[in-house]
Amino acid sequence: MSDTAPRPRTPERVTIASHADLRVAVLGLLAQARLEVCAAHRDLALLGLGGRDLVDALRSVLARGPRARVRLLADEGGWLEREAPRLRSLQRDYGHALHLRLSADAEALGDAALLIVDGRSFLQLAPTAYPHGVLALNALAEARGVQQDFERRWEAAGHDLPAQPLGLP
């Protein structure tokens, strides 16, 4: 290998043990995303995906080109409707690339959470009342298993939530 060739990044693991750690991890992962973001949680509130800065980060990913996509999976849609108007607006703006689904009953996530970017880095939180989990960066081998679990749940979920509530202009 020549001295000018870029070296592959080594996998890195960081423990998430607080809400502050979680926020930094989510923002960092979204900043790193190039083409794909996948997230799953009971209602997506824990990941903070309704906040302005996180919606702006998702918008940046989606604006990168026609191959960019964001897939969000939740067990229930109430929080999305009540507390995430910016996220729902982003879905209306990028309906071709931002997909929201409700998980099948048999595949419910509960309080566990996932955030995967570009199939190589991920955040995985255990189903506890307080954020506890791991952020794995450049962990392609590990990310494959996490991505496969997400894909199984995604396919079982069925169809996307409509970008515009039915019956409303």
Side-chain angles (χ1 to χ4, degrees), residues 59-76:
R59 183 180 302 279
S60 293
V61 172
L62 293 168
R64 288 201 169 98
R67 291 183 36 219
R69 69 182 177 158
V70 172
R71 296 184 296 158
L72 306 176
L73 183 63
D75 290 348
E76 53 194 57

Side-chain angles (χ1 to χ4, degrees), residues 101-126:
R101 291 186 182 176
L102 296 181
S103 58
D105 291 339
E107 298 291 340
L109 290 148
D111 287 324
L114 291 174
L115 178 61
I116 309 163
V117 297
D118 298 330
R120 69 181 317 102
S121 296
F122 65 91
L123 169 68
Q124 191 168 32
L125 298 174

Side-chain angles (χ1 to χ4, degrees), residues 36-161:
E36 183 177 41
V37 173
C38 300
H41 179 251
R42 176 177 33 87
D43 60 11
L44 299 173
L46 180 64
L47 298 173
L49 295 179
R52 180 181 307 229
D53 50 352
L54 294 170
V55 169
D56 288 345
L58 290 173
R59 183 180 302 279
S60 293
V61 172
L62 293 168
R64 288 201 169 98
R67 291 183 36 219
R69 69 182 177 158
V70 172
R71 296 184 296 158
L72 306 176
L73 183 63
D75 290 348
E76 53 194 57
W79 180 83
L80 290 167
E81 297 303 325
R82 288 186 317 274
E83 306 294 329
R86 289 182 183 97
L87 183 61
R88 297 295 281 178
S89 175
L90 185 64
Q91 183 193 19
R92 284 189 292 279
D93 294 346
Y94 288 93
H96 64 286
L98 192 154
H99 306 279
L100 291 165
R101 291 186 182 176
L102 296 181
S103 58
D105 291 339
E107 298 291 340
L109 290 148
D111 287 324
L114 291 174
L115 178 61
I116 309 163
V117 297
D118 298 330
R120 69 181 317 102
S121 296
F122 65 91
L123 169 68
Q124 191 168 32
L125 298 174
T128 59
Y130 205 73
H132 179 72
V134 66
L135 170 64
L137 302 169
N138 305 307
L140 191 57
E142 270 185 277
R144 248 186 233 122
V146 175
Q147 184 80 39
Q148 287 173 347
D149 183 52
F150 177 85
E151 295 298 338
R152 178 181 49 77
R153 292 173 190 269
W154 183 259
E155 292 304 320
H159 59 80
D160 291 359
L161 292 176

